[in-house]
PDB file of all heavy atoms in Angstrom:
ATOM      1  N   ASP A   1      -1.074  12.244  -3.646  1.00 97.00           N
ATOM      2  CA  ASP A   1      -1.223  12.311  -5.108  1.00 97.00           C
ATOM      3  C   ASP A   1      -0.112  11.547  -5.822  1.00 97.00           C
ATOM      4  O   ASP A   1      -0.341  10.956  -6.883  1.00 97.00           O
ATOM      5  CB  ASP A   1      -1.239  13.777  -5.573  1.00 97.00           C
ATOM      6  CG  ASP A   1      -2.539  14.477  -5.226  1.00 97.00           C
ATOM      7  OD1 ASP A   1      -3.534  13.785  -4.928  1.00 97.00           O
ATOM      8  OD2 ASP A   1      -2.564  15.725  -5.251  1.00 97.00           O
ATOM      9  N   PHE A   2       1.077  11.548  -5.244  1.00 97.00           N
ATOM     10  CA  PHE A   2       2.201  10.957  -5.964  1.00 97.00           C
ATOM     11  C   PHE A   2       2.185   9.430  -5.977  1.00 97.00           C
ATOM     12  O   PHE A   2       3.019   8.802  -6.631  1.00 97.00           O
ATOM     13  CB  PHE A   2       3.541  11.473  -5.406  1.00 97.00           C
ATOM     14  CG  PHE A   2       3.700  11.356  -3.921  1.00 97.00           C
ATOM     15  CD1 PHE A   2       4.007  10.145  -3.325  1.00 97.00           C
ATOM     16  CD2 PHE A   2       3.533  12.469  -3.109  1.00 97.00           C
ATOM     17  CE1 PHE A   2       4.148  10.036  -1.960  1.00 97.00           C
ATOM     18  CE2 PHE A   2       3.678  12.382  -1.733  1.00 97.00           C
ATOM     19  CZ  PHE A   2       3.987  11.156  -1.152  1.00 97.00           C
ATOM     20  N   VAL A   3       1.246   8.804  -5.263  1.00 96.00           N
ATOM     21  CA  VAL A   3       1.147   7.341  -5.297  1.00 96.00           C
ATOM     22  C   VAL A   3      -0.214   6.853  -5.779  1.00 96.00           C
ATOM     23  O   VAL A   3      -0.415   5.651  -5.938  1.00 96.00           O
ATOM     24  CB  VAL A   3       1.447   6.704  -3.925  1.00 96.00           C
ATOM     25  CG1 VAL A   3       2.841   7.080  -3.458  1.00 96.00           C
ATOM     26  CG2 VAL A   3       0.385   7.057  -2.899  1.00 96.00           C
ATOM     27  N   LYS A   4      -1.129   7.754  -6.029  1.00 96.00           N
ATOM     28  CA  LYS A   4      -2.465   7.352  -6.475  1.00 96.00           C
ATOM     29  C   LYS A   4      -2.382   6.540  -7.761  1.00 96.00           C
ATOM     30  O   LYS A   4      -1.683   6.900  -8.701  1.00 96.00           O
ATOM     31  CB  LYS A   4      -3.338   8.592  -6.696  1.00 96.00           C
ATOM     32  CG  LYS A   4      -3.911   9.179  -5.419  1.00 96.00           C
ATOM     33  CD  LYS A   4      -4.829  10.361  -5.710  1.00 96.00           C
ATOM     34  CE  LYS A   4      -5.388  10.925  -4.414  1.00 96.00           C
ATOM     35  NZ  LYS A   4      -6.235  12.120  -4.660  1.00 96.00           N
ATOM     36  N   GLY A   5      -3.099   5.428  -7.752  1.00 96.00           N
ATOM     37  CA  GLY A   5      -3.105   4.552  -8.911  1.00 96.00           C
ATOM     38  C   GLY A   5      -1.956   3.563  -8.941  1.00 96.00           C
ATOM     39  O   GLY A   5      -1.928   2.665  -9.796  1.00 96.00           O
ATOM     40  N   ARG A   6      -0.985   3.719  -8.018  1.00 98.00           N
ATOM     41  CA  ARG A   6       0.165   2.800  -7.996  1.00 98.00           C
ATOM     42  C   ARG A   6       0.232   1.996  -6.698  1.00 98.00           C
ATOM     43  O   ARG A   6       0.647   0.840  -6.713  1.00 98.00           O
ATOM     44  CB  ARG A   6       1.467   3.584  -8.154  1.00 98.00           C
ATOM     45  CG  ARG A   6       1.572   4.349  -9.471  1.00 98.00           C
ATOM     46  CD  ARG A   6       2.973   4.908  -9.668  1.00 98.00           C
ATOM     47  NE  ARG A   6       3.345   5.872  -8.627  1.00 98.00           N
ATOM     48  CZ  ARG A   6       4.444   5.778  -7.888  1.00 98.00           C
ATOM     49  NH1 ARG A   6       5.288   4.787  -8.061  1.00 98.00           N
ATOM     50  NH2 ARG A   6       4.719   6.709  -6.972  1.00 98.00           N
ATOM     51  N   PHE A   7      -0.121   2.604  -5.580  1.00 98.00           N
ATOM     52  CA  PHE A   7      -0.026   1.954  -4.270  1.00 98.00           C
ATOM     53  C   PHE A   7      -1.421   1.629  -3.750  1.00 98.00           C
ATOM     54  O   PHE A   7      -2.382   2.357  -4.019  1.00 98.00           O
ATOM     55  CB  PHE A   7       0.663   2.866  -3.262  1.00 98.00           C
ATOM     56  CG  PHE A   7       2.123   3.111  -3.516  1.00 98.00           C
ATOM     57  CD1 PHE A   7       2.753   2.712  -4.684  1.00 98.00           C
ATOM     58  CD2 PHE A   7       2.882   3.757  -2.547  1.00 98.00           C
ATOM     59  CE1 PHE A   7       4.104   2.947  -4.907  1.00 98.00           C
ATOM     60  CE2 PHE A   7       4.236   4.006  -2.738  1.00 98.00           C
ATOM     61  CZ  PHE A   7       4.839   3.611  -3.924  1.00 98.00           C
ATOM     62  N   ILE A   8      -1.502   0.559  -2.975  1.00 98.00           N
ATOM     63  CA  ILE A   8      -2.762   0.166  -2.345  1.00 98.00           C
ATOM     64  C   ILE A   8      -2.504  -0.141  -0.873  1.00 98.00           C
ATOM     65  O   ILE A   8      -1.657  -0.992  -0.557  1.00 98.00           O
ATOM     66  CB  ILE A   8      -3.394  -1.053  -3.027  1.00 98.00           C
ATOM     67  CG1 ILE A   8      -3.671  -0.763  -4.502  1.00 98.00           C
ATOM     68  CG2 ILE A   8      -4.682  -1.454  -2.314  1.00 98.00           C
ATOM     69  CD1 ILE A   8      -4.116  -1.986  -5.285  1.00 98.00           C
ATOM     70  N   ILE A   9      -3.237   0.528  -0.005  1.00 98.00           N
ATOM     71  CA  ILE A   9      -3.129   0.272   1.427  1.00 98.00           C
ATOM     72  C   ILE A   9      -4.275  -0.640   1.856  1.00 98.00           C
ATOM     73  O   ILE A   9      -5.404  -0.522   1.353  1.00 98.00           O
ATOM     74  CB  ILE A   9      -3.149   1.596   2.234  1.00 98.00           C
ATOM     75  CG1 ILE A   9      -2.850   1.339   3.708  1.00 98.00           C
ATOM     76  CG2 ILE A   9      -4.470   2.334   2.053  1.00 98.00           C
ATOM     77  CD1 ILE A   9      -2.661   2.622   4.515  1.00 98.00           C
ATOM     78  N   SER A  10      -3.984  -1.547   2.773  1.00 98.00           N
ATOM     79  CA  SER A  10      -5.016  -2.449   3.283  1.00 98.00           C
ATOM     80  C   SER A  10      -4.615  -2.889   4.689  1.00 98.00           C
ATOM     81  O   SER A  10      -3.486  -2.648   5.129  1.00 98.00           O
ATOM     82  CB  SER A  10      -5.191  -3.653   2.362  1.00 98.00           C
ATOM     83  OG  SER A  10      -4.000  -4.416   2.291  1.00 98.00           O
ATOM     84  N   ARG A  11      -5.545  -3.518   5.370  1.00 96.00           N
ATOM     85  CA  ARG A  11      -5.244  -4.032   6.696  1.00 96.00           C
ATOM     86  C   ARG A  11      -6.078  -5.276   6.963  1.00 96.00           C
ATOM     87  O   ARG A  11      -7.179  -5.425   6.416  1.00 96.00           O
ATOM     88  CB  ARG A  11      -5.483  -2.970   7.775  1.00 96.00           C
ATOM     89  CG  ARG A  11      -6.914  -2.515   7.912  1.00 96.00           C
ATOM     90  CD  ARG A  11      -7.032  -1.288   8.807  1.00 96.00           C
ATOM     91  NE  ARG A  11      -6.708  -1.591  10.206  1.00 96.00           N
ATOM     92  CZ  ARG A  11      -6.658  -0.681  11.172  1.00 96.00           C
ATOM     93  NH1 ARG A  11      -6.884   0.597  10.890  1.00 96.00           N
ATOM     94  NH2 ARG A  11      -6.381  -1.032  12.421  1.00 96.00           N
ATOM     95  N   ASP A  12      -5.534  -6.127   7.812  1.00 96.00           N
ATOM     96  CA  ASP A  12      -6.218  -7.341   8.245  1.00 96.00           C
ATOM     97  C   ASP A  12      -6.210  -7.308   9.767  1.00 96.00           C
ATOM     98  O   ASP A  12      -5.205  -7.652  10.395  1.00 96.00           O
ATOM     99  CB  ASP A  12      -5.493  -8.572   7.701  1.00 96.00           C
ATOM    100  CG  ASP A  12      -6.218  -9.859   8.025  1.00 96.00           C
ATOM    101  OD1 ASP A  12      -7.025  -9.885   8.968  1.00 96.00           O
ATOM    102  OD2 ASP A  12      -5.958 -10.864   7.340  1.00 96.00           O
ATOM    103  N   ASN A  13      -7.301  -6.867  10.356  1.00 94.00           N
ATOM    104  CA  ASN A  13      -7.359  -6.725  11.816  1.00 94.00           C
ATOM    105  C   ASN A  13      -7.260  -8.065  12.537  1.00 94.00           C
ATOM    106  O   ASN A  13      -6.780  -8.119  13.675  1.00 94.00           O
ATOM    107  CB  ASN A  13      -8.623  -5.980  12.222  1.00 94.00           C
ATOM    108  CG  ASN A  13      -8.604  -4.517  11.812  1.00 94.00           C
ATOM    109  OD1 ASN A  13      -7.529  -3.931  11.632  1.00 94.00           O
ATOM    110  ND2 ASN A  13      -9.768  -3.926  11.650  1.00 94.00           N
ATOM    111  N   ALA A  14      -7.687  -9.119  11.900  1.00 94.00           N
ATOM    112  CA  ALA A  14      -7.573 -10.443  12.518  1.00 94.00           C
ATOM    113  C   ALA A  14      -6.106 -10.839  12.684  1.00 94.00           C
ATOM    114  O   ALA A  14      -5.758 -11.597  13.590  1.00 94.00           O
ATOM    115  CB  ALA A  14      -8.302 -11.474  11.682  1.00 94.00           C
ATOM    116  N   LYS A  15      -5.259 -10.318  11.813  1.00 94.00           N
ATOM    117  CA  LYS A  15      -3.828 -10.597  11.879  1.00 94.00           C
ATOM    118  C   LYS A  15      -3.044  -9.430  12.468  1.00 94.00           C
ATOM    119  O   LYS A  15      -1.815  -9.487  12.535  1.00 94.00           O
ATOM    120  CB  LYS A  15      -3.288 -10.916  10.486  1.00 94.00           C
ATOM    121  CG  LYS A  15      -3.864 -12.181   9.873  1.00 94.00           C
ATOM    122  CD  LYS A  15      -3.246 -12.452   8.522  1.00 94.00           C
ATOM    123  CE  LYS A  15      -3.812 -13.737   7.918  1.00 94.00           C
ATOM    124  NZ  LYS A  15      -3.240 -14.029   6.591  1.00 94.00           N
ATOM    125  N   ASN A  16      -3.755  -8.367  12.864  1.00 94.00           N
ATOM    126  CA  ASN A  16      -3.077  -7.173  13.394  1.00 94.00           C
ATOM    127  C   ASN A  16      -1.978  -6.692  12.460  1.00 94.00           C
ATOM    128  O   ASN A  16      -0.870  -6.350  12.904  1.00 94.00           O
ATOM    129  CB  ASN A  16      -2.487  -7.451  14.779  1.00 94.00           C
ATOM    130  CG  ASN A  16      -3.549  -7.545  15.846  1.00 94.00           C
ATOM    131  OD1 ASN A  16      -4.601  -6.916  15.750  1.00 94.00           O
ATOM    132  ND2 ASN A  16      -3.291  -8.340  16.859  1.00 94.00           N
ATOM    133  N   THR A  17      -2.290  -6.646  11.192  1.00 96.00           N
ATOM    134  CA  THR A  17      -1.285  -6.295  10.196  1.00 96.00           C
ATOM    135  C   THR A  17      -1.857  -5.337   9.161  1.00 96.00           C
ATOM    136  O   THR A  17      -3.009  -5.483   8.736  1.00 96.00           O
ATOM    137  CB  THR A  17      -0.743  -7.551   9.487  1.00 96.00           C
ATOM    138  OG1 THR A  17      -0.219  -8.454  10.467  1.00 96.00           O
ATOM    139  CG2 THR A  17       0.375  -7.190   8.517  1.00 96.00           C
ATOM    140  N   MET A  18      -1.028  -4.382   8.780  1.00 97.00           N
ATOM    141  CA  MET A  18      -1.380  -3.456   7.708  1.00 97.00           C
ATOM    142  C   MET A  18      -0.401  -3.669   6.551  1.00 97.00           C
ATOM    143  O   MET A  18       0.749  -4.064   6.784  1.00 97.00           O
ATOM    144  CB  MET A  18      -1.286  -2.012   8.207  1.00 97.00           C
ATOM    145  CG  MET A  18      -1.541  -0.954   7.150  1.00 97.00           C
ATOM    146  SD  MET A  18      -1.470   0.724   7.801  1.00 97.00           S
ATOM    147  CE  MET A  18       0.252   0.851   8.264  1.00 97.00           C
ATOM    148  N   TYR A  19      -0.851  -3.414   5.349  1.00 98.00           N
ATOM    149  CA  TYR A  19      -0.033  -3.663   4.167  1.00 98.00           C
ATOM    150  C   TYR A  19       0.029  -2.429   3.271  1.00 98.00           C
ATOM    151  O   TYR A  19      -0.845  -1.575   3.294  1.00 98.00           O
ATOM    152  CB  TYR A  19      -0.610  -4.827   3.361  1.00 98.00           C
ATOM    153  CG  TYR A  19      -0.801  -6.086   4.150  1.00 98.00           C
ATOM    154  CD1 TYR A  19      -2.045  -6.400   4.691  1.00 98.00           C
ATOM    155  CD2 TYR A  19       0.257  -6.969   4.362  1.00 98.00           C
ATOM    156  CE1 TYR A  19      -2.239  -7.561   5.423  1.00 98.00           C
ATOM    157  CE2 TYR A  19       0.071  -8.137   5.095  1.00 98.00           C
ATOM    158  CZ  TYR A  19      -1.179  -8.418   5.618  1.00 98.00           C
ATOM    159  OH  TYR A  19      -1.353  -9.570   6.345  1.00 98.00           O
ATOM    160  N   LEU A  20       1.069  -2.400   2.463  1.00 98.00           N
ATOM    161  CA  LEU A  20       1.157  -1.407   1.399  1.00 98.00           C
ATOM    162  C   LEU A  20       1.688  -2.117   0.159  1.00 98.00           C
ATOM    163  O   LEU A  20       2.857  -2.511   0.122  1.00 98.00           O
ATOM    164  CB  LEU A  20       2.076  -0.246   1.782  1.00 98.00           C
ATOM    165  CG  LEU A  20       2.122   0.896   0.758  1.00 98.00           C
ATOM    166  CD1 LEU A  20       0.760   1.615   0.702  1.00 98.00           C
ATOM    167  CD2 LEU A  20       3.239   1.892   1.094  1.00 98.00           C
ATOM    168  N   GLN A  21       0.817  -2.314  -0.805  1.00 98.00           N
ATOM    169  CA  GLN A  21       1.213  -2.884  -2.085  1.00 98.00           C
ATOM    170  C   GLN A  21       1.698  -1.742  -2.972  1.00 98.00           C
ATOM    171  O   GLN A  21       0.941  -0.821  -3.259  1.00 98.00           O
ATOM    172  CB  GLN A  21       0.041  -3.614  -2.744  1.00 98.00           C
ATOM    173  CG  GLN A  21       0.363  -4.194  -4.109  1.00 98.00           C
ATOM    174  CD  GLN A  21       1.386  -5.310  -4.034  1.00 98.00           C
ATOM    175  OE1 GLN A  21       1.319  -6.169  -3.160  1.00 98.00           O
ATOM    176  NE2 GLN A  21       2.341  -5.306  -4.967  1.00 98.00           N
ATOM    177  N   MET A  22       2.950  -1.818  -3.377  1.00 98.00           N
ATOM    178  CA  MET A  22       3.541  -0.756  -4.176  1.00 98.00           C
ATOM    179  C   MET A  22       3.865  -1.291  -5.565  1.00 98.00           C
ATOM    180  O   MET A  22       4.672  -2.216  -5.697  1.00 98.00           O
ATOM    181  CB  MET A  22       4.814  -0.236  -3.497  1.00 98.00           C
ATOM    182  CG  MET A  22       4.600   0.210  -2.056  1.00 98.00           C
ATOM    183  SD  MET A  22       6.040   1.008  -1.334  1.00 98.00           S
ATOM    184  CE  MET A  22       7.190  -0.356  -1.342  1.00 98.00           C
ATOM    185  N   ASN A  23       3.230  -0.723  -6.567  1.00 98.00           N
ATOM    186  CA  ASN A  23       3.425  -1.131  -7.956  1.00 98.00           C
ATOM    187  C   ASN A  23       4.006   0.022  -8.767  1.00 98.00           C
ATOM    188  O   ASN A  23       3.959   1.177  -8.342  1.00 98.00           O
ATOM    189  CB  ASN A  23       2.089  -1.565  -8.561  1.00 98.00           C
ATOM    190  CG  ASN A  23       1.438  -2.693  -7.807  1.00 98.00           C
ATOM    191  OD1 ASN A  23       2.090  -3.658  -7.401  1.00 98.00           O
ATOM    192  ND2 ASN A  23       0.130  -2.607  -7.626  1.00 98.00           N
ATOM    193  N   SER A  24       4.541  -0.312  -9.920  1.00 98.00           N
ATOM    194  CA  SER A  24       5.107   0.700 -10.822  1.00 98.00           C
ATOM    195  C   SER A  24       6.046   1.633 -10.070  1.00 98.00           C
ATOM    196  O   SER A  24       5.957   2.862 -10.182  1.00 98.00           O
ATOM    197  CB  SER A  24       3.986   1.502 -11.491  1.00 98.00           C
ATOM    198  OG  SER A  24       3.109   0.663 -12.200  1.00 98.00           O
ATOM    199  N   LEU A  25       6.937   1.049  -9.317  1.00 98.00           N
ATOM    200  CA  LEU A  25       7.833   1.847  -8.490  1.00 98.00           C
ATOM    201  C   LEU A  25       8.776   2.693  -9.327  1.00 98.00           C
ATOM    202  O   LEU A  25       9.214   2.287 -10.414  1.00 98.00           O
ATOM    203  CB  LEU A  25       8.624   0.945  -7.555  1.00 98.00           C
ATOM    204  CG  LEU A  25       7.819   0.444  -6.344  1.00 98.00           C
ATOM    205  CD1 LEU A  25       8.465  -0.772  -5.730  1.00 98.00           C
ATOM    206  CD2 LEU A  25       7.674   1.560  -5.320  1.00 98.00           C
ATOM    207  N   LYS A  26       9.077   3.878  -8.799  1.00 98.00           N
ATOM    208  CA  LYS A  26       9.955   4.832  -9.471  1.00 98.00           C
ATOM    209  C   LYS A  26      11.153   5.120  -8.567  1.00 98.00           C
ATOM    210  O   LYS A  26      11.053   4.985  -7.338  1.00 98.00           O
ATOM    211  CB  LYS A  26       9.200   6.145  -9.719  1.00 98.00           C
ATOM    212  CG  LYS A  26       7.899   5.992 -10.481  1.00 98.00           C
ATOM    213  CD  LYS A  26       7.163   7.328 -10.556  1.00 98.00           C
ATOM    214  CE  LYS A  26       5.833   7.199 -11.273  1.00 98.00           C
ATOM    215  NZ  LYS A  26       5.112   8.492 -11.336  1.00 98.00           N
ATOM    216  N   PRO A  27      12.256   5.541  -9.135  1.00 97.00           N
ATOM    217  CA  PRO A  27      13.421   5.880  -8.297  1.00 97.00           C
ATOM    218  C   PRO A  27      13.077   6.912  -7.216  1.00 97.00           C
ATOM    219  O   PRO A  27      13.640   6.857  -6.115  1.00 97.00           O
ATOM    220  CB  PRO A  27      14.419   6.433  -9.311  1.00 97.00           C
ATOM    221  CG  PRO A  27      14.089   5.711 -10.576  1.00 97.00           C
ATOM    222  CD  PRO A  27      12.588   5.588 -10.563  1.00 97.00           C
TER     223      PRO A  27
END
């Protein structure tokens, strides 16, 4: 709940990589 609407998780299996886009970061 504390990251909903701010963070986005994704993955690219062709690159064997997972990502986390973090926006509106807070302390």
Side-chain angles (χ1 to χ4, degrees):
D1 287 343
F2 52 78
V3 301
K4 281 183 180 177
R6 299 190 298 126
F7 292 9
I8 301 172
I9 188 172
S10 62
R11 64 191 292 176
D12 185 339
N13 291 336
K15 296 182 179 179
N16 287 330
T17 303
M18 176 178 66
Y19 305 97
L20 185 67
Q21 178 66 43
M22 306 187 295
N23 302 317
S24 302
L25 283 161
K26 305 175 182 179

